[in-house]
Amino acid sequence: MDADQLKRRVEHSPAFILDMPQVHCNLQPLQRIKDATGCRVLYSMKALPLGALLADLKDRVDGISVSSLFEARLANAVLGGQGGVHLTTPGLRPEEFAELGRLCSHISFNSLSQYRRLHELSVGYSKGLRVNPKLSFADDERYDPCRAHSKLGVDVAMLQTGLPAGIEGLHIHTVFGQTDFLAFQAVISKLKPFLRQQSGLKWLNLGGGYLYHRIAELGPIIETIRYLKAHVAEQVYLEPGKALVGNAGYLLTRVLDSFDSDGKTVLVLDSSVNHHPEIFEYQRRPLLVDEDKQGGQTAILAGSTCLAGDIFGEYRFHNLPAVGDKLMFADVGAYSLIKAQRFNGYALPALYLRRNDAFVLVKQDGYAEYSGQWLG
Ligand SMILES: *Cc1c(COP(=O)(O)O)cnc(C)c1O
């Protein structure tokens, strides 16, 4: 996306901009996998549950995967029965289960205990089980579903004597942000003996965690899905989240203040880690479109809250940005706005969609939303 054009045409700051042409572009490798294998693609809406996005995706994906009752309700409101709604969560509530069974086409139980206590509280949905292959790829166990004592899925070793009656599908989700299919192949080869033992599975959900647009060679996953459809289950689902929206999201911000602190320049922005808490949680430095890696000057970009660690990172510039200049972070479309909050009483970013050549203001957060949250 042309950063200068965006800065000129997006009025509000801070603003979150979702680039719809990029979302459509991100669907292309998934469409190729679908065409080659006949598998189905769901959007994992927790990455960015924006209604306008879901409505746009409705005719481009085979359904939505959800983690909760509210997500299931929102998915149904948008899909209106067109496409499946697939749920898995460690947090199923008994009092919600009857409604979930009506809203969801597929529910993958997270544990055998959860399955036993809840599966009969509703009818009409297809029952599955989330399986944990116990194969770790993340170096940070905070986002490793296969960590020791994991709460996510049934250890495959506990299923050697067979699946509970009525289970029609299996769900596997083990990785995050992968840019090749090595983990995918390792998981499938570890699970292959187990999967081959199951007869008559209707579906296999292979989860999310792969950045398809960054993987040039789709051959390995195509071959594996063909194998799985031939020998393991009638249907195979993929449910990417970040792969569809991550690189399509931008955060536009403005420099509010500039000063020296112990010999380094600090630029205070009108955004903060409030708007992308993972920057703080995982101490990741987001991509800044305006950075000049060869630039001779550096500045610390800091957020506007009272938190000392509310810092985006240190960046290089040819000329240091001045107070009033706009800056743009890229690759922030996933797991940002959905985790955003109003700590210190700062509003959420204004929300824009880019469609073709238009930048459309979708939503603006203001005092009404802040007071609505806290006045009671
Ligand atoms: C979060 C999640 C996804 C989507 O993951 P991405 O890394 O955003 O692709 C898919 N399935 C399950 C079960 C998840 O928890």
Side-chain angles (χ1 to χ4, degrees):
M1 182 144 62
D2 180 339
D4 291 331
Q5 186 197 30
L6 185 144
K7 285 178 191 172
R8 266 183 280 113
R9 299 193 29 207
V10 169
E11 250 175 78
H12 297 82
S13 181
F16 177 91
I17 302 100
L18 186 67
D19 185 11
M20 290 310 298
Q22 184 62 51
V23 173
H24 300 155
C25 189
N26 293 341
L27 279 164
Q28 284 170 10
L30 285 148
Q31 188 63 46
R32 284 210 292 284
I33 297 170
K34 267 178 77 164
D35 292 344
T37 65
C39 76
R40 295 197 175 143
V41 174
L42 313 168
Y43 170 53
S44 178
M45 70 180 277
K46 71 172 196 258
L48 182 64
L50 178 62
L53 166 71
L54 300 180
D56 182 281
L57 287 176
K58 177 176 163 177
D59 296 322
R60 304 172 195 264
V61 296
D62 301 297
I64 294 181
S65 63
V66 303
S67 333
S68 65
L69 179 62
F70 288 178
E71 285 191 356
R73 284 184 185 166
L74 198 69
N76 270 270
V78 176
L79 292 178
Q82 177 186 330
V85 174
H86 297 233
L87 171 86
T88 187
T89 170
L92 286 179
R93 280 107 166 111
E95 64 276 18
E96 294 177 352
F97 198 79
E99 184 179 352
L100 282 172
R102 285 193 300 277
L103 293 174
C104 300
S105 55
H106 300 68
I107 297 180
S108 296
F109 292 93
N110 182 63
S111 71
L112 290 169
S113 147
Q114 190 191 55
Y115 166 78
R116 272 188 227 109
R117 282 177 299 100
L118 300 180
H119 79 99
E120 283 178 327
L121 298 181
S122 191
V123 289
Y125 66 97
S126 179
K127 301 179 182 69
L129 204 56
R130 177 166 179 177
V131 173
N132 190 324
K134 289 290 184 177
L135 208 50
S136 292
F137 300 95
D139 44 15
D140 184 337
E141 69 169 7
R142 289 176 299 172
Y143 44 86
D144 178 12
C146 299
R147 63 191 278 172
H149 316 295
S150 172
K151 63 172 189 182
L152 298 165
V154 184
D155 184 343
V156 63
M158 289 174 64
L159 295 171
Q160 294 310 320
T161 53
L163 300 175
I167 293 293
E168 300 181 322
L170 294 174
H171 186 292
I172 310 161
H173 171 78
T174 56
V175 291
F176 179 72
Q178 299 292 301
T179 51
D180 58 48
F181 292 122
L182 295 176
F184 182 84
Q185 287 168 301
V187 167
I188 297 299
S189 54
K190 176 164 183 190
L191 291 182
K192 211 177 239 179
F194 164 75
L195 291 173
R196 286 300 300 258
Q197 275 167 25
Q198 314 309 319
S199 56
L201 277 185
K202 288 205 173 141
W203 50 272
L204 182 63
N205 186 327
L206 297 173
Y210 293 89
L211 300 178
Y212 295 90
H213 54 284
R214 291 182 53 189
I215 309 177
E217 186 47 68
L218 298 177
I221 191 168
I222 287 174
E223 258 166 59
T224 307
I225 294 175
R226 281 185 179 149
Y227 170 87
L228 294 169
K229 283 197 73 177
H231 300 286
V232 174
E234 285 169 39
Q235 192 51 272
V236 168
Y237 293 93
L238 303 175
E239 49 178 18
K242 185 173 182 182
L244 297 195
V245 296
N247 66 351
Y250 296 84
L251 180 64
L252 182 70
T253 176
R254 186 172 41 125
V255 179
L256 294 177
D257 196 10
S258 168
F259 50 82
D260 181 282
S261 179
D262 295 327
K264 289 190 177 186
T265 301
V266 173
L267 302 178
V268 179
L269 307 179
D270 67 359
S271 180
S272 67
V273 297
N274 282 3
H275 299 159
H276 197 351
E278 287 193 343
I279 294 168
F280 185 75
E281 285 169 39
Y282 299 131
Q283 296 292 302
R284 281 205 206 105
R285 182 177 163 281
L287 198 66
L288 182 75
V289 174
D290 312 270
E291 182 168 36
D292 175 356
K293 293 238 165 65
Q294 264 67 55
Q297 316 231 47
T298 64
I300 294 168
L301 300 188
S304 34
T305 74
C306 67
L307 174 67
D310 175 8
I311 291 170
F312 290 85
E314 189 167 357
Y315 294 84
R316 304 196 76 87
F317 300 91
H318 182 62
N319 292 314
L320 283 184
V323 170
D325 283 358
K326 285 178 171 176
L327 297 172
M328 194 164 105
F329 293 102
D331 208 13
V332 294
Y335 306 109
S336 49
L337 270 201
I338 184 58
K339 294 186 168 188
Q341 27 82 7
R342 303 183 184 90
F343 180 52
N344 276 199
Y346 287 112
L348 302 184
L351 224 157
Y352 282 79
L353 283 194
R354 177 184 166 227
R355 292 189 192 277
N356 303 319
D357 270 337
F359 289 91
V360 184
L361 177 64
V362 177
K363 206 164 181 281
Q364 211 186 331
D365 196 64
Y367 179 66
E369 285 74 19
Y370 177 74
S371 61
Q373 186 176 7
W374 298 107
L375 281 180

